[in-house]
Amino acid sequence: MMRILNGNFGLTAKFNLLSILLVLLTAVAITAYEVERERSSRLDALLEHGRETTKLIADFSEYALFAEDQESLQGILASVSDDETTYLGLLRADGTVLAEKWQVSDRHLFPEEQLALSGAVQHSQISEDGKYIQFFAPVLSKQASELDALSLIH
Protein backbone atom coordinates (compact mmCIF):
# COMPACT_ATOMS: atom_id res chain seq x y z
CA MET A 1 0.00 0.00 0.00
CA MET A 2 2.85 2.38 0.79
CA ARG A 3 4.48 1.81 -2.59
CA ILE A 4 1.39 3.09 -4.40
CA LEU A 5 1.19 6.21 -2.26
CA ASN A 6 4.88 6.95 -2.73
CA GLY A 7 4.55 6.71 -6.52
CA ASN A 8 6.71 3.62 -6.84
CA PHE A 9 4.59 1.68 -9.32
CA GLY A 10 5.70 -1.72 -10.43
CA LEU A 11 5.69 -2.83 -14.03
CA THR A 12 2.48 -4.83 -13.51
CA ALA A 13 0.66 -1.84 -12.01
CA LYS A 14 1.76 0.40 -14.88
CA PHE A 15 0.61 -2.17 -17.45
CA ASN A 16 -2.76 -2.55 -15.69
CA LEU A 17 -3.21 1.22 -15.57
CA LEU A 18 -2.37 1.52 -19.26
CA SER A 19 -4.84 -1.25 -20.13
CA ILE A 20 -7.61 0.40 -18.12
CA LEU A 21 -6.95 3.77 -19.77
CA LEU A 22 -7.03 2.21 -23.25
CA VAL A 23 -10.34 0.48 -22.49
CA LEU A 24 -11.82 3.73 -21.16
CA LEU A 25 -10.54 5.71 -24.15
CA THR A 26 -12.02 3.14 -26.55
CA ALA A 27 -15.37 3.25 -24.74
CA VAL A 28 -15.47 7.06 -24.88
CA ALA A 29 -14.56 7.08 -28.59
CA ILE A 30 -17.24 4.50 -29.45
CA THR A 31 -19.85 6.39 -27.42
CA ALA A 32 -18.98 9.69 -29.12
CA TYR A 33 -19.20 8.05 -32.54
CA GLU A 34 -22.60 6.48 -31.78
CA VAL A 35 -24.00 9.75 -30.39
CA GLU A 36 -22.90 11.63 -33.52
CA ARG A 37 -24.31 8.91 -35.77
CA GLU A 38 -27.67 9.01 -33.95
CA ARG A 39 -27.78 12.83 -34.14
CA SER A 40 -27.04 12.71 -37.85
CA SER A 41 -29.64 10.02 -38.42
CA ARG A 42 -32.32 11.99 -36.56
CA LEU A 43 -31.46 15.14 -38.49
CA ASP A 44 -31.77 13.26 -41.78
CA ALA A 45 -35.15 11.85 -40.69
CA LEU A 46 -36.33 15.32 -39.66
CA LEU A 47 -35.24 16.80 -42.99
CA GLU A 48 -37.02 14.04 -44.91
CA HIS A 49 -40.19 14.51 -42.84
CA GLY A 50 -40.07 18.26 -43.47
CA ARG A 51 -39.60 17.80 -47.22
CA GLU A 52 -42.49 15.33 -47.42
CA THR A 53 -44.80 17.56 -45.37
CA THR A 54 -43.88 20.61 -47.43
CA LYS A 55 -44.49 18.75 -50.69
CA LEU A 56 -47.87 17.47 -49.51
CA ILE A 57 -48.98 20.94 -48.43
CA ALA A 58 -47.83 22.38 -51.75
CA ASP A 59 -49.67 19.68 -53.71
CA PHE A 60 -52.93 20.01 -51.77
CA SER A 61 -53.01 23.80 -51.65
CA GLU A 62 -52.70 24.52 -55.39
CA TYR A 63 -56.32 25.49 -56.04
CA ALA A 64 -56.87 27.15 -52.66
CA LEU A 65 -53.78 29.32 -53.26
CA PHE A 66 -54.90 30.21 -56.76
CA ALA A 67 -58.34 31.26 -55.46
CA GLU A 68 -56.86 32.68 -52.22
CA ASP A 69 -59.61 30.81 -50.36
CA GLN A 70 -58.73 31.50 -46.71
CA GLU A 71 -61.07 28.84 -45.33
CA SER A 72 -59.51 26.10 -47.46
CA LEU A 73 -55.99 27.34 -46.74
CA GLN A 74 -56.60 27.35 -42.98
CA GLY A 75 -58.07 23.84 -43.26
CA ILE A 76 -54.95 22.64 -45.05
CA LEU A 77 -52.70 24.19 -42.41
CA ALA A 78 -54.86 22.81 -39.57
CA SER A 79 -54.50 19.30 -40.98
CA VAL A 80 -50.79 19.33 -40.15
CA SER A 81 -50.07 18.78 -36.48
CA ASP A 82 -46.89 17.21 -35.18
CA ASP A 83 -44.34 17.96 -32.50
CA GLU A 84 -41.60 18.95 -34.93
CA THR A 85 -43.55 21.70 -36.71
CA THR A 86 -43.41 25.17 -35.17
CA TYR A 87 -44.73 27.28 -38.04
CA LEU A 88 -46.55 26.76 -41.31
CA GLY A 89 -46.91 29.50 -43.85
CA LEU A 90 -48.34 29.71 -47.34
CA LEU A 91 -46.69 32.53 -49.25
CA ARG A 92 -47.38 34.28 -52.51
CA ALA A 93 -44.67 34.37 -55.16
CA ASP A 94 -43.55 37.79 -53.89
CA GLY A 95 -43.02 36.36 -50.37
CA THR A 96 -46.04 37.92 -48.67
CA VAL A 97 -47.96 35.68 -46.30
CA LEU A 98 -51.31 34.41 -47.55
CA ALA A 99 -52.04 32.11 -44.59
CA GLU A 100 -50.04 30.97 -41.59
CA LYS A 101 -50.24 28.80 -38.49
CA TRP A 102 -47.96 29.20 -35.46
CA GLN A 103 -47.50 26.37 -33.00
CA VAL A 104 -45.07 28.19 -30.70
CA SER A 105 -45.24 31.52 -28.92
CA ASP A 106 -41.87 32.77 -30.26
CA ARG A 107 -42.86 34.36 -33.55
CA HIS A 108 -39.42 35.65 -34.50
CA LEU A 109 -37.74 32.45 -35.56
CA PHE A 110 -36.38 33.66 -38.87
CA PRO A 111 -35.74 37.29 -39.69
CA GLU A 112 -37.33 38.53 -42.91
CA GLU A 113 -33.95 38.85 -44.59
CA GLN A 114 -33.41 35.10 -44.17
CA LEU A 115 -36.55 34.31 -46.15
CA ALA A 116 -35.03 33.10 -49.38
CA LEU A 117 -37.59 32.06 -51.95
CA SER A 118 -35.99 30.45 -54.93
CA GLY A 119 -38.68 30.00 -57.52
CA ALA A 120 -39.52 26.47 -58.58
CA VAL A 121 -37.01 24.64 -56.40
CA GLN A 122 -37.86 22.78 -53.21
CA HIS A 123 -35.19 23.47 -50.62
CA SER A 124 -34.52 23.84 -46.91
CA GLN A 125 -32.57 26.32 -44.83
CA ILE A 126 -31.22 25.98 -41.26
CA SER A 127 -31.32 28.96 -38.90
CA GLU A 128 -28.08 30.55 -37.73
CA ASP A 129 -28.46 29.09 -34.23
CA GLY A 130 -29.24 25.65 -35.66
CA LYS A 131 -32.53 25.31 -33.79
CA TYR A 132 -34.93 25.63 -36.72
CA ILE A 133 -35.16 24.50 -40.32
CA GLN A 134 -37.22 26.26 -42.99
CA PHE A 135 -38.62 24.21 -45.84
CA PHE A 136 -39.80 25.73 -49.10
CA ALA A 137 -41.76 24.05 -51.86
CA PRO A 138 -43.27 25.85 -54.83
CA VAL A 139 -46.91 25.30 -55.68
CA LEU A 140 -46.88 24.49 -59.36
CA SER A 141 -49.89 23.99 -61.60
CA LYS A 142 -50.26 20.53 -63.03
CA GLN A 143 -51.96 20.17 -66.34
CA ALA A 144 -54.09 17.06 -66.52
CA SER A 145 -53.20 14.91 -69.53
CA GLU A 146 -56.86 14.03 -70.13
CA LEU A 147 -57.55 17.73 -70.73
CA ASP A 148 -55.01 17.83 -73.56
CA ALA A 149 -57.32 15.77 -75.78
CA LEU A 150 -60.20 18.12 -75.03
CA SER A 151 -58.21 21.15 -76.11
CA LEU A 152 -57.77 19.61 -79.58
CA ILE A 153 -61.53 19.28 -80.09
CA HIS A 154 -63.10 22.56 -81.13
Side-chain angles (χ1 to χ4, degrees):
M1 180 78 171
M2 281 306 273
R3 286 192 318 179
I4 293 175
L5 295 177
N6 290 336
N8 297 331
F9 294 111
L11 184 59
T12 305
K14 289 178 184 178
F15 182 74
N16 286 339
L17 184 61
L18 178 65
S19 298
I20 291 170
L21 287 175
L22 286 175
V23 168
L24 286 175
L25 181 64
T26 303
V28 168
I30 290 172
T31 301
Y33 171 76
E34 286 297 321
V35 166
E36 176 58 28
R37 194 174 70 123
E38 180 68 22
R39 187 196 68 75
S40 177
S41 173
R42 287 181 186 235
L43 179 61
D44 290 344
L46 180 64
L47 288 170
E48 185 60 30
H49 174 70
R51 286 185 200 107
E52 289 173 2
T53 302
T54 305
K55 184 174 179 351
L56 283 173
I57 291 172
D59 289 345
F60 286 118
S61 63
E62 177 184 349
Y63 298 112
L65 278 171
F66 177 73
E68 294 191 8
D69 180 11
Q70 288 294 321
E71 186 177 328
S72 296
L73 293 172
Q74 289 302 328
I76 292 168
L77 294 179
S79 69
V80 178
S81 60
D82 58 37
D83 294 336
E84 289 99 13
T85 303
T86 56
Y87 171 77
L88 294 170
L90 296 171
L91 311 175
R92 292 180 182 94
D94 63 0
T96 58
V97 176
L98 186 59
E100 63 185 356
K101 174 185 172 187
W102 287 92
Q103 301 200 47
V104 294
S105 59
D106 183 12
R107 295 180 178 233
H108 301 289
L109 304 177
F110 286 91
E112 290 299 320
E113 60 269 12
Q114 283 189 338
L115 187 63
L117 300 175
S118 68
V121 178
Q122 181 177 356
H123 69 284
S124 58
Q125 171 180 329
I126 299 177
S127 65
E128 290 177 4
D129 60 4
K131 291 183 179 180
Y132 300 99
I133 304 170
Q134 283 181 320
F135 293 93
F136 299 94
V139 178
L140 303 172
S141 295
K142 297 179 192 96
Q143 184 175 2
S145 59
E146 59 270 4
L147 295 178
D148 289 341
L150 293 177
S151 65
L152 298 176
I153 302 172
H154 285 68

